[in-house]
Amino acid sequence: MPATRGFFRRRPDGPAGRLPPGQYDVGGNWPVLTAEVTPRIDRESWTLGVDGLVDRPTTWTWDEVQQLPRSSYHGDIHCVTTWSKFDVVFAGVSVDSLLEAAGPDPRAEFMIAHSSTGYTTNLPLADVTGGKAWVVWEYDGRPLTAEHGGPVRLLVPHLYFWKSAKWISRLELTVEDRAGFWERNGYHDRGDPWLEQRYQGDP
Amino acid sequence: MTTDESFASVGAGSTAWTTGRIITKDFPAPHLVRLRMHVEDRHRHWPGQHYLIRLRAPDDYTAQRSYSVASDDSDPLVEFLVERLPAGEVSEFLADVAEVGDLLEMRGPIGRWFRWDTYTPALCLVGGTGVVPAVAMTRAARHHGRSDLIRVMAVGRSPEALPYAEELAAAGAAIVYTRHPTSARPPGPPTRAEITPLLAGTQLAYVCGSSRFADFAETLLVEAGLSAEAIRVERFGVTG
């Protein structure tokens, strides 16, 4: 399409090669965008389950999940609403560790992340294994706040951030790809920011 | 959360980028610009949905933001209200540079969650520039002859900070100013006693506004007895 009359680039690109197309660097801010009432979840009653197509459906309490090998992510995150945030640090546990305990069935190809609010999002299993996804409860060395999904959220930083479900309570492994909340409401099934997979019909 | 599957099937399918021409532009307040646009190959929209507006520089750099639609689907033009944010790359351009007759890249309508189906009795509890989807819902309700289905409480610091206040008040909305006295009420946030009667008979509540406003509104609605599953939220803003 032709250029917009009178519009010129005003922002630097950000760190070289780290800003996906159509994104901007939000700097020190961290926007909050949710579709639901923010739940206040008590750590003492919170649990995380891994079930569906697994050999050993497993549920962890807060204390139990803390005993799993700690894993952290240091890098960038990208929201479909066009902000990106560089050099964030999250800590929690790798999804690989959770799946290892539950024993995925070889037929499982997708994961549906469930939040305690009822929010869901679907992910190819290949996008959450091999060190690419975490369940996190710390941001920048501090407990994750409720508005950002605390006490515990999913983190899949190489995909748009709606895939990083807040207030995570359950990971379900499936054979088929079942659309999650935003995916049923017009968003892309995979959500790769580098391919600009924002909405249904995008490449 | 309950997701109405019938919603998901309405307007299914993808939207492509198209262009819109600015037909009118005015400033309801110094920091607010209202654009009414003719959209090429326009799709029908539900009240509560939004469009993307994308700006393209000569070097192909692009910037895009989403804006809620204020107009009803029966309106031949698509209306947006844009708040001019300091250093807001897109909003400053729309406020200061864009002129009537200009073409902008657009995509929409988008969003199948925060929208009104035109028949479910609902309450909009909206703040500041978050009134925009409530305006679209009110206009759609009037167009369908069902103004009884949508109740609105619109909250702003003062009349200057609450766009569309006169139109909404004329349609029966409760107008609440948190820092401005009126003959109807002293300044201050809405109370449970004010919201409870508005909830009678409604099945859904739409909350739209800043993150701080949304927190307040969600709490008020839940304390007034509405279940969290019946509340749809569109919040904007940042935290540190």
Side-chain angles (χ1 to χ4, degrees):
Chain A
M1 293 208 191
T4 311
R5 186 198 62 79
F7 180 68
F8 301 95
R9 179 193 295 261
R10 276 175 41 195
R11 291 178 184 274
D13 260 342
R18 285 170 59 183
L19 198 62
Q23 298 291 110
Y24 70 97
D25 177 2
V26 78
N29 292 321
W30 187 2
V32 179
L33 299 144
T34 50
E36 311 159 289
V37 173
T38 301
R40 307 290 158 177
I41 298 164
D42 178 15
R43 283 180 177 182
E44 302 310 311
S45 55
W46 173 87
T47 59
L48 176 68
V50 175
D51 58 22
L53 267 184
V54 296
D55 297 335
R56 300 173 295 280
T58 307
T59 301
W60 292 268
T61 64
W62 172 261
D63 287 338
E64 287 166 347
V65 84
Q66 305 291 315
Q67 304 305 314
L68 295 169
R70 185 181 164 90
S71 178
S72 62
Y73 169 74
H74 178 179
D76 308 334
I77 55 176
H78 312 287
C79 178
V80 69
T81 61
T82 73
W83 58 264
S84 291
K85 190 168 174 59
F86 296 118
D87 295 313
V88 297
V89 182
F90 286 95
V93 61
S94 166
V95 169
D96 291 313
S97 296
L98 300 170
L99 294 183
E100 190 181 313
D105 185 295
R107 292 171 296 170
E109 286 191 39
F110 297 93
M111 189 179 90
I112 300 168
H114 296 261
S115 299
S116 57
T117 58
Y119 178 89
T120 55
T121 189
N122 51 317
L123 296 133
L125 205 49
D127 271 318
V128 293
T129 51
K132 293 196 284 291
W134 291 259
V135 164
V136 297
W137 48 84
E138 272 182 31
Y139 170 73
D140 204 16
R142 289 189 290 274
L144 188 64
T145 59
E147 63 186 349
H148 289 300
V152 180
R153 77 179 296 162
L154 185 64
L155 176 70
V156 191
H158 70 290
L159 300 178
Y160 283 127
F161 220 44
W162 88 80
K163 294 289 183 180
S164 295
K166 295 177 175 182
W167 312 301
I168 194 80
S169 62
R170 182 177 158 225
L171 303 174
E172 178 191 4
L173 269 56
T174 62
V175 175
E176 77 283 9
D177 193 11
R178 298 204 314 257
F181 172 76
W182 281 126
E183 294 80 9
R184 284 195 302 273
N185 283 290
Y187 284 69
H188 198 275
D189 267 319
R190 180 151 181 270
D192 183 334
W194 295 96
L195 300 176
E196 274 205 88
Q197 293 172 334
R198 299 177 188 275
Y199 307 105
Q200 284 179 19
D202 285 341
Chain B
M1 172 184 311
T2 54
T3 299
D4 183 344
E5 296 293 337
S6 67
F7 265 40
S9 64
V10 178
S14 60
T15 55
W17 285 100
T18 181
T19 55
R21 183 180 296 278
I22 301 173
I23 306 300
T24 70
K25 174 181 176 178
D26 69 341
F27 295 87
H31 67 296
L32 297 174
V33 57
R34 176 166 47 200
L35 301 174
R36 287 178 53 80
M37 306 188 63
H38 172 78
V39 177
E40 286 295 322
D41 303 318
R42 184 175 146 194
H43 293 257
R44 302 198 63 179
H45 75 264
W46 296 92
Q49 290 192 298
H50 63 271
Y51 268 76
L52 301 172
I53 295 180
R54 182 165 72 182
L55 310 178
R56 183 177 297 277
D59 65 356
D60 242 14
Y61 167 79
T62 60
Q64 67 183 40
R65 299 289 183 276
S66 65
Y67 295 103
S68 282
V69 178
S71 47
D72 164 33
D73 188 53
S74 65
D75 191 325
L77 300 179
V78 181
E79 181 174 322
F80 303 97
L81 184 86
V82 176
E83 183 173 11
R84 185 186 190 284
L85 301 170
E89 191 175 28
V90 179
S91 67
E92 281 192 346
F93 174 88
L94 294 174
D96 303 342
V97 181
E99 296 174 357
V100 168
D102 280 351
L103 288 173
L104 302 175
E105 293 179 30
M106 303 187 60
R107 185 176 182 185
I110 287 170
R112 296 181 206 149
W113 174 245
F114 195 91
R115 66 176 187 181
W116 182 53
D117 61 11
T118 71
Y119 56 82
T120 302
L123 170 71
C124 297
L125 179 52
V126 291
T129 54
V131 299
V132 172
V135 172
M137 291 179 196
T138 302
R139 291 177 177 181
R142 189 170 60 226
H143 177 72
H144 290 278
R146 294 305 309 268
S147 293
D148 57 310
L149 293 178
I150 284 285
R151 294 178 196 161
V152 176
M153 177 179 275
V155 183
R157 284 191 304 279
S158 63
E160 299 74 43
L162 193 61
Y164 297 104
E166 285 182 17
E167 177 180 336
L168 291 171
I175 304 294
V176 171
Y177 295 123
T178 56
R179 297 183 193 168
H180 176 89
T182 67
S183 56
R185 70 190 297 282
T191 64
R192 199 192 305 184
E194 288 175 296
I195 203 77
T196 300
L198 297 179
L199 281 172
T202 61
Q203 294 175 22
L204 275 177
Y206 296 89
V207 169
C208 186
S210 68
S211 188
R212 196 169 157 206
F213 173 80
D215 278 343
F216 174 82
E218 290 169 13
T219 304
L220 186 65
L221 289 169
V222 171
E223 286 179 356
L226 197 63
S227 78
E229 291 74 28
I231 304 174
R232 300 185 181 196
V233 184
E234 194 158 270
R235 58 165 74 201
F236 44 81
V238 298
T239 67

